Amino acid sequence: KAGVTQTPRYLIKTRGQQVTLSCSPISGHRSVSWYQQTPGQGLQFLFEYFSETQRNKGNFPGRFSGRQFSNSRSEMNVSTLELGDSALYLCASSLERGAAADTQYFGPGTRLTVL
Amino acid sequence: AQSVTQLDSHVSVSEGTPVLLRCNYSSSYSPSLFWYVQHPNKGLQLLLKYTSAATLVKGINGFEAEFKKSETSFHLTKPSAHMSDAAEYFCVVSVNDMRFGAGTRLTVKP
């Protein structure tokens, strides 16, 4: 089985722009979660989607949003980019919803640099 | 509320010696606990997972962890370090969502 894929792998944007990141989960997995990883804050949970519905959300401003499609693929969007949004964005998929009940499998991440 | 503390930000061992990476957790409910490893420029890979079955959990690549409820700990061990074990290790506690520790960077000296 193919693993979790994320596109693009690297992105450079300028302040004020918006960006969309894509994640394709492992085939058959219905839950997709997004995380932000920075040297200062470590790994932080952004949100989880299951069956096209956001089920859980971390403590991030409304500039961060996401969605999930009927084929379980997910996108996250960051509007009005700030320098502090520079990070590695990781996507993880699991079979069913709820991180507690199921193992999450991570993609390689998208490295976003905001100039 | 749930949280996790990795007690060492950096651990350095010699190849062939034991590895101990320490993790304490806090949770109001019975949590699931995980250890993940991240090699440079790679995503996270699951090493092992505890979900209230056996307290000693065996993972991949010779790693294991013991769940100790009385000590609220979930330390990761390996009897003999290999150069390829050099990476960042994350302890994770999960009730409704996953809370990651700050990470422990493992260095393995030849």
Side-chain angles (χ1 to χ4, degrees), chain A residues 9 35 37 43 45 56 88 90 99-100 102-104 106-108, chain B residues 32 34 36 38 41 43-44 46 49 90 94-98 100:
Chain A
R9 292 292 311 278
Y35 298 84
Q37 185 177 25
L43 270 153
F45 171 74
N56 211 348
L88 181 67
L90 292 164
D102 209 4
T103 299
Q104 293 196 331
F106 285 79
Chain B
S32 294
F34 305 79
Y36 281 85
Q38 186 177 33
N41 301 314
L44 278 74
L46 178 70
K49 165 182 164 182
F90 293 93
S94 179
V95 176
N96 295 314
D97 57 43
M98 296 184 87
F100 286 77

Side-chain angles (χ1 to χ4, degrees), chain A residues 12-44:
Chain A
I12 299 175
K13 293 285 187 179
T14 56
R15 277 182 299 175
Q17 287 187 309
Q18 76 162 18
V19 67
T20 299
L21 312 181
S22 181
C23 172
S24 292
I26 292 172
S27 177
H29 284 195
R30 298 199 293 164
S31 173
V32 173
S33 297
W34 288 90
Y35 298 84
Q36 182 196 64
Q37 185 177 25
T38 60
Q41 299 297 317
L43 270 153
Q44 296 185 89

Side-chain angles (χ1 to χ4, degrees), chain B residues 52-72:
Chain B
S52 74
T55 56
L56 184 62
V57 183
K58 293 190 183 298
I60 62 171
N61 300 335
F63 284 95
E64 63 181 38
E66 186 171 8
F67 173 71
K68 291 188 177 180
K69 187 174 181 179
S70 61
E71 299 175 12
T72 61

